[in-house]
Amino acid sequence: MYLALLVFLQVPEPGVLGSQLPLHRNRRIAPAVAAVRAAAPRMDGILDDPGWVTAHPVTEFRRDVPSDGLPATEGSEIRVLYDDHNLYVGARLFHRDRAGVSRRLSRRDSFSVFNDVFFVLLDSYHDHSTAFVFGVTPAGERRDAIQSGDGATLDASWDPVWEARTRVDSLGWTVEMRIPFSQVRFPNVPEQVWGVQFRRDIRAAGEAVDWSWSPRTESGSTSKYGHLLGLSRIPQPRRIEAVPYIGGQWRFTEGADPSNPFDDGSVYQTTAGLDLKYGLTSNLTLDATINPDFGQVEADPAVVNLTAFETFFEERRPFFVERADLFRFRSSGAQNFFYSRRIGRAPSLSAEGAAPYTDQPGATTILGAAKVTGRTSSGWSVGLLETVAAKERAELARPGEALPAVGVEPLSNYAVARVRREYTGGSSFVGGILTAVNRRLDEPEFGLLRSAAYSGGVDFQHRFRGNAFELEGSLGGSWIRGSESAMLAAQAAPARYYQRPDQDYVSLDSNATNLGGTAGNLIFRKAGGDWRYGVSGSYTSPGFEVNDIGFQTEADRIRFSGSLERLWLTPGRLFRSFSSQVFLSQWYNFGGTNLNREVNAVAQGSFLNLWSVFAEAGGNFQSRDDRVTRGGPLGVRPAAAYVALGAASDSRKSLRGELTAWYSWSEVGGWGWALDPRITFRPQGAFDLTLQMSWRRNQADAFYVTQAPDPAAAATFGGRYVFGSLGQQSLNTTLRLNWVLSPNLSLQWYAQPLLATGDYNGFKALERPSAYRFQTYGENASTLDFDPETLQYTADADGDGPAVPIRFGNPDFRIRSLRSNVVLRWEYRPGSTLFLVWNHNRGSQIFDPSWGGLDDLWGLRTDPQQNILQIKLNYYLNR
């Protein structure tokens, strides 16, 4: 245990590094390395240039994983040079078994692949929070990213233009890196002091080792870096980069109507645009794009969503992903103030069915976008985004006649401003965010949309006592404006349901033209040491709404939670590391209704042979549910519990397997289970294949179907709320193939076949609020009839009595789909890329809920298909 108390101290060489080195905020003396000004070395991976001889190497590396703090099993020598334009890093990475050096080649930024990697991490701002990451494997695969929040987040979408060369020899392997100063940000001062970390992943030993080591029981990462000294009088780079592109797309749709004037099954279009990057100052960068093209981005996975809320999809578009960490702001776990996929999304309105033929845009055109990111001279981290999305219209026609187009999305402006300032060496920060959406509602159809939406907030974090304790929080507000109909829709939206009849603290206002609310949270945690714990509280007022530019699925919530965690990081007889956690949470709405009380526990460990396991269990007590009737009275959330187990084999092996299984059950007879296997085949070389499956079955005793007014339903406030027993089954398979022909040429294939069924029966209506009691249709005096011609059910609560019959469509479903894309990416010169893309989609949906299994999978071959072929060529220009 004494190893956790070791302090790594490297004494600077007299006359080289100087005597005054900045201290880390935990008072540990920072190790230092001096960069030597020299002529540019040849980039060949051989450390024989004269400059490398003059540079003093750093050699002391300690283990981060495993055996926290012990010396690395393999030696390393790192040297640093520079000239007016570039930073050069040379590394001699010893390996006693030459055959053990990995030759595995993966696609760029394969951070999830455990391989031999050498990393250089530069805190060139010297803010102890942000780092530029440059890594390379023996096969030449580059890994680059921006790390922010003192190591909390990693943005791997950042693809700077830099160079690395490697060699494998009898002593191990060597690295030469050339990092242009134009690709990082640093203060405009004569003498530079940067934070720096050298890290090495040693695949054969299963180790990760650091030069500037700190115990894993301490929180933070960037704040523990050493110092890079000796950088003197570096000319400020101009940092002007332009990437124009041209592209073409061909879309072929099987079964299309040949008389459709908009799409007879074969559509071709061309496009062109420009991405621009300009250094406003030494620390601030302007990124701008005109008519951005996102054709090479992987398609979203197919999902079956039976809830009242939309599905959250990750952002993959390069312009919005890069430096997304600067715009991140959460008032609680349920809200994102900024969700970039709102920009360029599918139009808000639909013209489908308005005419025999419609040309409905699949996405809103982004006319232009610009963002400023970086850090001001006074220490403020800044993220500013401005985007203009085009007005979209749907073209309409009938055979032989064009009809007037209708608006489906107004001209819109999206703006986000995020600032943040670190204090006390990066251990504390304060920040703020402002967002704005303005729409030009110049068409009658746009009356249902909001004309404006604004939000803002402040957040902070303070770490103290050697970063072992953290206090963080936020407070934000929102305000939306629009017509009476738009505000009525906002009040009745699933996030808030102001129309609920058995509550008295909010009410529908049919004359309202605006809506506002607030949200906030406060968290205290012990984030360092072997024992960790935390408590938190958050709230979201009923009127809070950020979905115009953010992502939010709920309002009217008050949450409390607590956690306790124990870590064992020193390897023992069985485990390399082990941890266990317990979580408690409690939810209320603003009416004081108990909505959820649950407890969860999880334990996970890594064995000495690098296999890993986890076990989890938890459950919730019976409580009320103010969303289950979707705007109706309170329902009941039955008590339920679950268990889950998982295991994964050694990630260093060519064949790796993972398996997760869980089972859940409820007090009313509901149940569910899932099996999630994953197999990855990654031999030495340039090929890897991943097969991931998710097989799920579940039975819900009462799942919402529909509702209708009925004056005879006095117990439920004049409405019938219909539920049904729902049996679901799904098989979701994802295949990924990566074939990396060279570090600059790769072929990627992604395919996702999905099978899903839903079988509804036992339709019933809620008998009274706040109770789990139902009247089953077809029993006693009630009736339930089905018309096979119209596929409609008719449910009557009392046969010939005064109750109003309810009619609803058959909710059963069987879905099968296939989404696939193939991407050939060739970086034919640094920063310039050619993309060839093939997207393939097919599928069908019917009302027969029987499970077809492999027959359905085979049946996909006969379903209608759509193929999209794309080509995009961009060219990198800089000066």
Side-chain angles (χ1 to χ4, degrees):
M1 297 300 293
Y2 73 94
L3 291 174
L5 302 177
L6 285 177
V7 174
F8 175 55
L9 172 63
Q10 179 170 315
V11 179
E13 184 178 346
V16 177
L17 303 183
S19 59
Q20 294 184 350
L21 298 181
L23 297 180
H24 290 291
R25 57 173 179 254
N26 61 2
R27 303 294 182 183
R28 179 182 292 112
I29 297 178
V33 59
V36 175
R37 185 180 282 273
R42 290 189 312 274
M43 295 301 296
D44 54 10
I46 303 175
L47 303 177
D48 58 354
D49 299 274
W52 296 125
V53 178
T54 64
H56 182 73
V58 295
T59 59
E60 297 294 328
F61 281 75
R62 293 180 179 271
R63 300 185 206 174
D64 180 44
V65 178
S67 301
D68 195 17
L70 289 181
T73 57
E74 303 288 355
S76 305
E77 294 179 355
I78 316 300
R79 294 172 170 85
V80 183
L81 306 176
Y82 75 102
D83 58 22
D84 282 352
H85 305 290
N86 304 287
L87 184 75
Y88 304 94
V89 180
R92 157 58 67 185
L93 306 169
F94 294 98
H95 204 293
R96 283 166 285 185
D97 179 11
R98 182 176 184 273
V101 177
S102 173
R103 308 297 182 93
R104 180 180 292 170
L105 183 60
S106 302
R107 295 176 67 239
R108 184 172 183 173
D109 296 338
S110 299
F111 283 92
S112 61
V113 178
F114 186 44
N115 202 353
D116 279 315
V117 193
F118 171 69
F119 287 105
V120 177
L121 301 93
L122 300 173
D123 176 13
S124 52
Y125 289 122
H126 209 213
D127 61 1
H128 304 286
S129 179
T130 306
F132 299 93
V133 180
F134 300 89
V136 64
T137 69
E141 172 213 331
R142 286 173 294 163
R143 301 183 180 185
D144 37 53
I146 294 179
Q147 184 176 270
S148 59
D150 199 6
T153 61
L154 189 75
D155 175 10
S157 67
W158 180 64
D159 286 332
V161 179
W162 62 290
E163 188 177 3
R165 293 290 184 270
T166 60
R167 292 273 182 139
V168 178
D169 56 24
S170 59
L171 299 178
W173 60 294
T174 58
V175 176
E176 281 186 309
M177 290 182 176
R178 182 184 67 84
I179 302 172
F181 289 126
S182 63
Q183 302 301 297
V184 297
R185 311 292 175 259
F186 52 89
N188 186 11
V189 295
E191 304 296 325
Q192 301 282 333
V193 177
W194 292 3
V196 66
Q197 174 71 288
F198 303 115
R199 184 177 177 91
R200 182 181 175 187
D201 291 348
I202 306 173
R203 179 174 174 267
E207 286 182 5
V209 299
D210 291 332
W211 168 62
S212 182
W213 173 83
S214 61
R216 277 195 291 156
T217 53
E218 295 183 2
S219 64
S221 171
T222 313
S223 58
K224 309 299 178 58
Y225 287 3
H227 290 103
L228 176 60
L229 308 178
L231 300 175
S232 177
R233 293 177 172 81
I234 303 171
Q236 285 296 310
R238 292 183 178 181
R239 297 198 293 120
I240 302 176
E241 303 174 13
V243 185
Y245 81 87
I246 57 173
Q249 182 185 103
W250 296 261
R251 186 175 74 237
F252 306 97
T253 305
E254 184 180 31
D257 185 349
S259 61
N260 188 331
F262 307 120
D263 185 358
D264 61 359
S266 178
V267 177
Y268 168 72
Q269 65 182 29
T270 59
T271 185
L274 173 68
D275 295 328
L276 177 68
K277 191 182 294 286
Y278 175 65
L280 299 174
T281 69
S282 61
N283 284 342
L284 292 175
T285 301
L286 169 68
D287 289 273
T289 182
I290 300 172
N291 191 29
D293 174 69
F294 305 120
Q296 71 273 17
V297 175
E298 184 177 291
D300 291 322
V303 295
V304 177
N305 184 352
L306 301 181
T307 73
F309 304 100
E310 65 181 313
T311 301
F312 181 91
F313 290 111
E314 292 183 359
E315 179 64 89
R316 294 189 177 94
R317 300 171 296 178
F319 176 82
F320 293 106
V321 171
E322 185 174 329
R323 296 315 318 265
D325 59 288
L326 283 176
F327 296 92
R328 189 170 292 114
F329 183 100
R330 287 186 176 183
S331 64
S332 71
Q335 296 92 24
N336 287 328
F337 271 57
F338 177 49
Y339 178 46
S340 57
R341 291 196 57 149
R342 299 294 184 206
I343 304 171
R345 64 181 176 183
S348 304
L349 305 176
S350 175
E352 295 296 333
Y357 301 116
T358 61
D359 185 14
Q360 171 86 21
T364 304
T365 302
I366 300 175
L367 298 177
K371 63 181 177 181
V372 175
T373 57
R375 185 178 176 87
T376 68
S377 58
S378 58
W380 286 92
S381 297
V382 175
L384 305 174
L385 175 70
E386 173 72 16
T387 306
V388 177
K391 178 180 179 178
E392 299 288 356
R393 301 174 70 85
E395 303 293 329
L396 307 179
R398 62 169 61 103
E401 179 185 4
L403 300 175
V406 297
V408 291
E409 183 71 22
L411 179 69
S412 303
N413 178 265
Y414 300 86
V416 183
R418 177 76 162 112
V419 295
R420 175 171 153 159
R421 174 69 185 271
E422 283 82 19
Y423 294 94
T424 60
S427 63
S428 303
F429 76 81
V430 296
I433 190 171
L434 292 173
T435 73
V437 179
N438 290 282
R439 300 184 177 94
R440 182 181 295 174
L441 306 183
D442 55 357
E443 298 277 353
E445 296 86 359
F446 298 155
L448 292 175
L449 303 179
R450 302 159 190 165
S451 59
Y454 307 104
S455 68
V458 294
D459 59 346
F460 74 92
Q461 181 186 73
H462 177 56
R463 290 190 287 187
F464 53 99
R465 295 190 60 181
N467 293 341
F469 293 89
E470 296 178 358
L471 179 67
E472 66 177 76
S474 66
L475 180 65
S478 69
W479 186 76
I480 58 176
R481 183 180 66 207
S483 65
E484 289 88 347
S485 57
M487 292 301 99
L488 196 62
Q491 295 173 74
R496 52 192 57 83
Y497 288 136
Y498 275 21
Q499 68 271 35
R500 286 184 290 120
D502 55 347
Q503 53 82 29
D504 58 5
Y505 58 96
V506 292
S507 60
L508 285 173
D509 182 356
S510 59
N511 297 316
T513 57
N514 60 77
L515 180 68
T518 62
N521 71 332
L522 187 65
I523 302 170
F524 171 77
R525 66 169 69 93
K526 182 178 182 290
D530 295 330
W531 284 96
R532 303 182 180 188
Y533 51 82
V535 293
S536 67
S538 66
Y539 82 94
T540 307
S541 74
F544 186 78
E545 174 60 49
V546 293
N547 271 318
D548 292 83
I549 197 171
F551 188 88
Q552 174 188 351
T553 57
E554 61 183 41
D556 189 14
R557 289 291 183 268
I558 300 172
R559 299 170 181 257
F560 301 98
S561 64
S563 64
L564 178 65
E565 180 180 15
R566 176 66 164 96
L567 301 176
W568 292 267
L569 300 180
T570 301
R573 294 182 178 180
L574 186 60
F575 288 101
R576 282 164 53 106
S577 62
F578 191 83
S579 67
S580 60
Q581 302 94 26
V582 177
F583 307 92
L584 305 170
S585 62
Q586 172 71 64
W587 304 357
Y588 298 96
N589 63 20
F590 271 62
T593 304
N594 172 24
L595 299 177
N596 188 34
R597 183 177 297 140
E598 64 180 46
V599 57
N600 311 90
V602 60
Q604 51 195 345
S606 174
F607 293 106
L608 297 177
N609 62 1
L610 270 69
W611 281 58
S612 59
V613 294
F614 85 91
E616 185 175 351
N620 64 273
F621 299 91
Q622 186 183 105
S623 58
R624 299 294 179 260
D625 192 334
D626 60 358
R627 299 289 186 262
V628 67
T629 56
R630 303 197 182 183
L634 284 171
V636 168
R637 184 182 187 189
Y642 75 94
V643 293
L645 299 171
S649 64
D650 185 350
S651 63
R652 300 173 300 170
K653 304 299 183 182
S654 298
L655 185 64
R656 183 176 194 244
E658 302 172 57
L659 178 65
T660 301
W662 62 260
Y663 181 78
S664 66
W665 65 97
S666 74
E667 63 178 335
V668 294
W671 55 268
W673 58 259
L675 287 175
D676 295 332
R678 177 187 175 107
I679 298 175
T680 301
F681 179 57
R682 188 178 287 119
Q684 291 281 351
F687 171 86
D688 68 76
L689 175 67
T690 300
L691 170 63
Q692 183 173 357
M693 302 179 69
S694 180
W695 186 16
R696 281 165 162 71
R697 290 195 66 181
N698 63 274
Q699 182 71 44
D701 179 67
F703 193 88
Y704 177 85
V705 176
T706 190
Q707 60 181 271
D710 184 357
T716 50
F717 303 94
R720 298 283 182 189
Y721 300 90
V722 180
F723 294 78
S725 298
L726 170 61
Q728 286 183 270
Q729 187 168 187
S730 66
L731 179 62
N732 194 337
T733 305
T734 301
L735 298 99
R736 296 182 186 274
L737 169 66
N738 292 306
W739 184 19
V740 185
L741 304 173
S742 76
N744 299 319
L745 178 62
S746 64
L747 182 70
Q748 180 186 22
W749 174 51
Y750 162 86
Q752 188 218 5
L754 169 68
L755 307 176
T757 62
D759 186 6
Y760 290 82
N761 53 68
F763 296 105
K764 49 199 172 184
L766 184 69
E767 281 194 352
R768 60 184 179 85
S770 300
Y772 199 84
R773 292 182 57 183
F774 300 90
Q775 178 192 19
T776 301
Y777 288 110
E779 295 182 359
N780 300 323
S782 66
T783 61
L784 179 67
D785 299 306
F786 179 69
D787 185 345
E789 297 294 328
T790 63
L791 300 178
Q792 291 279 319
Y793 281 97
T794 301
D796 194 317
D798 57 4
D800 295 330
V804 178
I806 299 176
R807 293 179 176 83
F808 56 93
N810 180 11
D812 293 343
F813 63 87
R814 185 168 77 194
I815 296 172
R816 62 190 186 197
S817 76
L818 172 64
R819 296 190 179 188
S820 171
N821 72 343
V822 178
V823 179
L824 176 69
R825 182 185 186 277
W826 175 33
E827 189 174 353
Y828 59 92
R829 63 186 300 270
S832 302
T833 311
L834 171 68
F835 292 95
L836 298 176
V837 184
W838 171 34
N839 289 308
H840 176 81
N841 302 290
R842 62 171 67 212
S844 62
Q845 179 175 349
I846 59 177
F847 291 102
D848 178 6
S850 58
W851 178 253
L854 294 178
D855 289 339
D856 263 340
L857 195 63
W858 179 248
L860 277 167
R861 74 190 194 283
T862 63
D863 287 342
Q865 61 178 300
Q866 183 183 77
N867 292 282
I868 302 174
L869 303 177
Q870 301 173 83
I871 182 171
K872 176 184 175 182
L873 178 71
N874 63 33
Y875 190 84
Y876 175 76
L877 302 168
N878 75 311
R879 55 172 301 179

